Amino acid sequence: MLEIKNLHASIKGKAILKGLDLVVPAGEVHAIMGPNGSGKSTLSKVLAGDEAYEVTEGQALYKGKDLLTMSPDERAREGVFLAFQYPVEIPGVTNAYFLRTALNAVRRHRGEPELDAFTFLQRVKEAMKLLEMDAEFRNRFVNVGFSGGEKKRNEILQLTLLNPSLAILDEMDSGLDVDALRIASRGVNALRDADHAFLVITHYQRLLDYIVPDHVHILVDGRIVQSGDRSLALDVERAGYVDHQASA
Amino acid sequence: MRVDTWLDERPVLLDERAAVRAAAADKSRARPLPVPRSEHWKYTSTRAIGALGLEIGATAATLTVGAAPQGVTIVRWSEASPAQRAAAGPWFGRLATFDGPEAFVALNTALHDDVVLILVEAGADVADAVRIVHVAGGEDTPRVVFPRVLVLAEAGAKATVIAEWRSARGAPFVTAPVTELVVGDGASLEYVSVVATPASDFHLATVASTVAPGATLQATMLAFGEGLARCDTIVTLAGAGASVRLEGVGAAGASGHIDHHTTIDHAAPDCTSREVFRNIAGDHGTVVFNGRVVVREQAQRSDSDQQNRSLLLSDDATINSKPELEIYADDVKCAHGSAIGALDPEQVWYLRSRGIPDALARQMLVRGFGADVAARVAHPGARALATDALEAWLDQLIAGGAA
Amino acid sequence: MPDAVEQVVGRAYEHGWVSDIQSDSLPPGLSEDTVRFISAKKDEPDWLLQWRLEALRKWQAMEPPDWAHLKWGPIDYQSIIYYSAPKSTSEGPKSLEEVDPELLRTYEKLGIPLHERAALAGVAVDAVFDSVSVATTFRETLAKAGVIFCPLSEAVREHPGLVRKYLGSVVPVTDNYFAALNSAVFSDGSFCFIPKGVRCPMELSTYFRINAKNTGQFERTLIIAEDKAYVSYLEGCTAPQRDENQLHAAVVELVALEDAEIKYSTVQNWYPGDENGRGGIFNFVTKRGICKGDRSRISWTQVETGSAITWKYPSVILKGDDSVGEFYSVAVTAKRQQADTGTKMIHIGKNTRSTIISKGIAAERGQQSYRGLVRVLKGADNARNYTQCDSLLMGDTCGAHTFPYIEVRNRTAKVEHEATTSKVADEQIFYCQQRGMSEEDAVNLIVNGFCKEVFRQLPMEFAVEAQKLLAVTLEGAVG
């Protein structure tokens, strides 16, 4: 699904990713853990196509296609979804309208017919029920005045509806209490199957209790320094990142 | 006003001020007073001044200056050393410009006789505030004076300057001061101005400043009175990362007319401005706030916020508020707000429900309305002075049968 | 993103064609003779001629206003044609069949449903072409309800009492330079009278178009809603693409009596000039309504996307107790357009309320100013005003400015003004793109969100048109 080779990226001339390699096959959940400033969020932004970051070397293939030459919206329509760590507010645009515009853009790209208002509403209602979101969120402006937890849940709602092949969850657990985390994870887990891949970026092991990964990678100073199974995450929680930093 | 005669009788200066002064004289001869009802003077008429039959007074005698703290030199231009004049010379008349509608700046530049220079050494961290007190009035015949001050805070200096403008009762008196503030690289200057204008007097002041890269200006402009006070405050954020906090209170009682006219000019990138003004109009008084914020094309990432709140205490009082935003750069965060109203009856009721009598409750709320401005003055001595002046005046306003 | 900017520069003005219609025009120039000619052409009574001549004399002694945040060269008032009528209709069409077919095609191109069978059923249209009102639809339906909707020139003949009573009662002849000019030379416009207790059965609508070269358009609209009457009125404007500037100086007067309500909506899309600032309409318009009766309500909604220069302040005089004034505005300036627009809310009566929502968008080299006056007079106990004034900047060569004037002389009044200026954030665009929208769709989505509070005020068809216009004006303008 995703194949990253020797990826180097920088922002404002400062190198952040320094030769990152990573392979995420379809049907798997990979967790990226690492200390602050290790490049976790940079990785997610680069994969989504944020123009503030410059890729200086290396490549990223998505379903065999060169991801890095695509515009951000092309990537999204191809099925790459980023759940933002800090989702932005868009005043005056209702959540429902935003979702429908995005969903239809993706559907058109897939050659599927646009959803009529009724079917769309049905799907939104179902998804919102799954995520225990109040119906009034449909008519509120995108993320405006949402609490941190509400914003995150709104990201997962979009994930559920857009149904991407590759979902990148950037610090999904930050600002979420345990209940909210459980609910949001339920949304993610509902999508897990042989056709979907997930890249879960987190600082804390806690999230991985809810979204259990197949593989865990430790990112330090722009490179993956260690990979392993679920137990690696528990090791990190016990020992911290110190050893890995020393070894990097 | 016999401006032509005054100009003819002024001694010719042969120093750094000469060229600016000549230009100002031309301007003043052509049009000594502002154009009535022009946009810049929309809410303040100066026509009465022309009819006073003014004589020009001496400024030197009326400006008293305390002892200078360590790191600060206070000297009159006429007595300054060549080095001191060389330092101040390039700034004179450069900040308080008069190519637009600033008639009183032109008059001052053309007719002032001396300049009080306040020079703060580079890197000096001055704990004591410099305090200048100007006493006008007490004369038998109407007079006009043109005090002039230039404050130069060199790179990295930290200092506080308090300017008090007081009036003694007497024949109508016009004070038209110009103050220029230069805040050098990384310097930090606090400026507090307290203007009290009695019923027959006119105060037409301009304070113009420039703030260099990384420097900070905090200015608090308090103006009260029953006469006419028009205070123009101009801040140019000239260097990257400069910041200003400009606050003020305008309070008018009797038939007083207080007009705060401010301009904050974001002329460099990454600058911050915070502006808070409170207007309080009692009796037949009028208070004006005209606050202009300009963000130039090159001033990307400007962050500006301006808040004006006004309180009307009587049925015959007037508030005019004109907050203006003029923005030519796109990556900016600018907001302003203006709210006008009476004392909140719920607040009054709340205080009364706790046993506070109505009149006292109102007094507390009016005091409180202006108090936060004085409370944010950073220098403790200046803060105490500002707080006392404000409370005394607001109490007088309330006692005048206002609230 | 720069590609997108180039796209808009290359964009053509959609309504920039010229119709080949024979005009019956005066030679350029303005004098007493011009005014007499226009008045005679309309067969006007002497009082109106004298009213016009008085206006001309006053105008000649006035100076053009210079306080707006606008730059324009001197206008040569002697080179303007003050009267231009489509020739075949100079006698006035009696029915649609008499209207020049070319003219009807013009309106078809504009998408105006002139025929009663036309798609937009329920809209009565009065079309003003250059200076003359050419056809009014739905007159019979309206007449049955007692509503008078006709060209102003016809109202002068048929309802002289009403016209004489109200003409100039809201915007006096000497109100300002352009209103005085209009009073002297206005050639036609719409007249609308809703009698007591009548709720106008359909939306009324006027489309304006300047077609002839070197022509000024000086229409004048007068709407009167008697006690408990209601009317919603729509106005749309286009003009052909020409290299020289054309002057449009209109006057609109609204009178709302007790419990009456007038909603006035405008979508203004006059030719804005090209990317170098050549050509375009100079739009100097005086619009004012008076809430004369208690509990009356006047609401202005405007979407201003056209014109090289817009100078326009639709206002409400809140004279009746408990009356309500509203102003909702979206103004867009791209290319080298300049707009200085806003409103005046004059609170005279007790418990009067006003709301001002202004959304300004500046792109490319556009300059955008909000100028609004809220004045609370001494007797206006418990007056309330709320003003929200937001500006959106797209690109670093444009400007957005806010000049509110707040004057309060009553201590029981409460006035609140808030303004913000921001840009379309890169983060917002990226967020939308990450959900699969193209950059252009993302910008449209964000801009429409920004304008939502105003669009919501427009009748449905107009809201759709306004959104489309906005998209076209800003196409690719984000860099």
Side-chain angles (χ1 to χ4, degrees), chain A residues 25 55 66 100 123 149 182 220:
Chain A
V55 174
D66 183 358
R100 201 168 158 208
R123 293 213 183 165
R182 184 179 46 78
V220 175

Side-chain angles (χ1 to χ4, degrees), chain B:
Chain B
M1 282 207 310
R2 299 179 301 119
V3 171
D4 284 347
T5 317
W6 298 343
L7 287 167
D8 292 341
E9 288 168 0
R10 285 276 95 170
V12 175
L13 297 178
L14 292 173
D15 60 20
E16 292 84 348
R17 293 175 288 168
V20 180
R21 192 169 167 103
D26 289 347
K27 168 110 182 174
S28 296
R29 278 185 207 275
R31 189 180 276 287
L33 286 177
V35 182
R37 285 189 300 277
S38 59
E39 197 63 20
H40 197 64
W41 293 91
K42 188 178 171 71
Y43 293 119
T44 300
S45 167
T46 55
R47 211 175 312 162
I49 295 172
L52 289 174
L54 291 170
E55 289 301 322
I56 195 163
T59 41
T62 54
L63 199 63
T64 61
V65 175
Q70 186 85 34
V72 179
T73 309
I74 303 173
V75 63
R76 287 181 194 283
W77 188 289
S78 55
E79 292 156 7
S81 70
Q84 288 164 337
R85 274 165 52 177
W91 294 107
F92 177 84
R94 294 300 152 86
L95 306 180
T97 53
F98 47 81
D99 47 358
E102 308 88 350
F104 294 99
V105 174
L107 280 174
N108 178 294
T109 309
L111 292 164
H112 77 281
D113 58 5
D114 215 337
V115 184
V116 174
L117 293 178
I118 300 175
L119 308 170
V120 188
E121 283 170 24
D125 188 348
V126 186
D128 292 339
V130 176
R131 185 170 172 189
I132 51 181
V133 182
H134 175 93
V135 182
E139 305 262 354
D140 300 332
T141 53
R143 279 186 188 279
V144 56
V145 293
F146 298 102
R148 185 103 188 182
V149 179
L150 197 161
V151 179
L152 181 53
E154 303 265 21
K158 279 199 175 79
T160 304
V161 175
I162 304 168
E164 283 177 79
W165 307 90
R166 297 183 187 166
S167 277
R169 304 251 170 198
F173 205 92
V174 179
T175 308
V178 169
T179 305
E180 290 174 295
L181 309 175
V182 182
V183 191
D185 283 19
S188 166
L189 179 70
E190 172 156 45
Y191 181 80
V192 178
S193 164
V194 183
V195 175
T197 306
S200 56
D201 282 12
F202 299 81
H203 187 89
L204 303 143
T206 295
V207 176
S209 57
T210 182
V211 189
T216 302
L217 173 67
Q218 176 165 356
T220 306
M221 317 300 292
L222 308 178
F224 327 112
E226 300 178 344
L228 183 149
R230 160 74 182 241
C231 303
D232 284 35
T233 307
I234 301 144
V235 180
T236 304
L237 296 168
S243 69
V244 64
R245 173 174 279 284
L246 174 60
E247 303 210 24
V249 175
S255 298
H257 184 105
I258 306 292
D259 180 356
H260 273 297
H261 220 86
T262 72
T263 300
I264 294 179
D265 189 344
H266 284 255
D270 300 299
C271 293
T272 304
S273 64
R274 291 289 175 268
E275 186 171 7
V276 177
F277 270 80
R278 301 268 190 263
N279 300 336
I280 307 167
D283 206 353
H284 288 74
T286 298
V287 182
V288 181
F289 171 72
N290 188 134
R292 180 167 170 244
V293 174
V294 187
V295 177
R296 307 274 170 196
E297 251 172 80
Q298 67 274 18
Q300 294 295 353
R301 297 172 300 283
S302 289
D303 179 352
S304 160
D305 186 78
Q306 179 195 69
Q307 295 300 329
N308 177 221
R309 277 174 58 201
S310 306
L311 196 55
L312 279 155
L313 297 178
S314 97
D315 292 335
D316 299 307
T318 300
I319 294 282
N320 295 320
S321 171
K322 192 162 170 258
E324 299 175 43
L325 279 173
E326 224 175 293
I327 295 168
Y328 301 92
D330 66 330
D331 191 359
V332 298
K333 222 169 77 188
C334 295
H336 71 208
S338 176
I340 302 180
L343 285 180
D344 184 349
E346 281 185 35
Q347 289 181 338
V348 176
W349 186 85
Y350 182 80
L351 291 179
R352 291 179 66 189
S353 75
R354 296 291 176 268
I356 299 164
D358 186 71
L360 182 57
R362 284 169 195 278
Q363 183 186 31
M364 286 168 67
L365 290 171
V366 173
R367 273 188 177 193
F369 187 77
D372 63 328
V373 168
R376 278 192 293 269
V377 171
H379 186 278
R383 184 166 60 237
L385 190 138
T387 305
D388 290 351
L390 193 62
E391 278 186 4
W393 218 87
L394 291 180
D395 287 354
Q396 191 184 323
L397 190 65
I398 299 160

Side-chain angles (χ1 to χ4, degrees), chain B residues 304-307 323-325 333-338, chain C residues 358 370 386-391 401-404 416-422:
Chain B
S304 160
D305 186 78
Q306 179 195 69
Q307 295 300 329
E324 299 175 43
L325 279 173
K333 222 169 77 188
C334 295
H336 71 208
S338 176
Chain C
S358 164
Y370 166 81
Y386 175 73
T387 302
Q388 174 73 44
C389 184
D390 299 317
S391 308
H401 321 296
T402 313
F403 304 105
E416 280 175 85
H417 169 98
E418 283 170 36
T420 64
T421 301
S422 55

